[in-house]
Amino acid sequence: MDRVAKLALERAVVVFTTSNRSMCHSVTSLLQQVGWTAIHGWKEPRGREMERELVRMLGGRAPAVPAVFIGGDLVGGTNRVMAIHLAGELVPMLKKAGALWL
């Protein structure tokens, strides 16, 4: 199993991010406001390999971060997460994944 998929399945919410992108900060801030997040940066020894994996998962589109997984499923990046939140679907999705208990 690919490292990205394995990490995504191990936790209810996983955000692959870098510290130097404002959109990464926006997504992580939103997820922290609604209750919970797990963040894995590129500090891992296999970070570049994981980045290539994400680009492949996203159909070759760059940038690959932030990439948000909820319940093991790739939700998408900033635009998709914000759209889900504005539609009122993010909190129910987080609850279903076991990330929120409210």
Side-chain angles (χ1 to χ4, degrees), residues 2 7 26 44 55 63 65 68 74 80 100-101:
D2 291 331
L7 284 171
S26 297
E44 289 205 21
V55 169
V65 294
V68 179
L74 176 61
R80 180 76 177 127
L100 291 177
W101 301 275

Side-chain angles (χ1 to χ4, degrees), residues 20-36:
N20 61 350
R21 295 190 69 121
S22 61
M23 291 295 105
C24 291
H25 177 72
S26 297
V27 167
T28 56
S29 292
L30 170 66
L31 289 169
Q32 287 168 348
Q33 287 176 18
V34 298
W36 194 90

Side-chain angles (χ1 to χ4, degrees), residues 77-90:
T78 306
N79 291 341
R80 180 76 177 127
V81 171
M82 295 298 182
I84 289 168
H85 178 57
L86 291 173
E89 299 170 2
L90 181 60

Side-chain angles (χ1 to χ4, degrees), residues 39-100:
I39 302 167
H40 291 276
W42 302 120
K43 294 179 182 176
E44 289 205 21
R46 295 173 54 194
R48 284 289 183 204
E49 178 184 327
M50 292 168 61
E51 187 175 4
R52 285 189 295 274
E53 237 177 272
L54 281 168
V55 169
R56 213 172 33 253
M57 292 173 92
L58 293 167
R61 292 175 291 149
V65 294
V68 179
F69 290 79
I70 299 176
D73 295 323
L74 176 61
V75 174
T78 306
N79 291 341
R80 180 76 177 127
V81 171
M82 295 298 182
I84 289 168
H85 178 57
L86 291 173
E89 299 170 2
L90 181 60
V91 170
M93 189 181 286
L94 292 168
K95 285 181 182 177
K96 182 179 177 186
L100 291 177

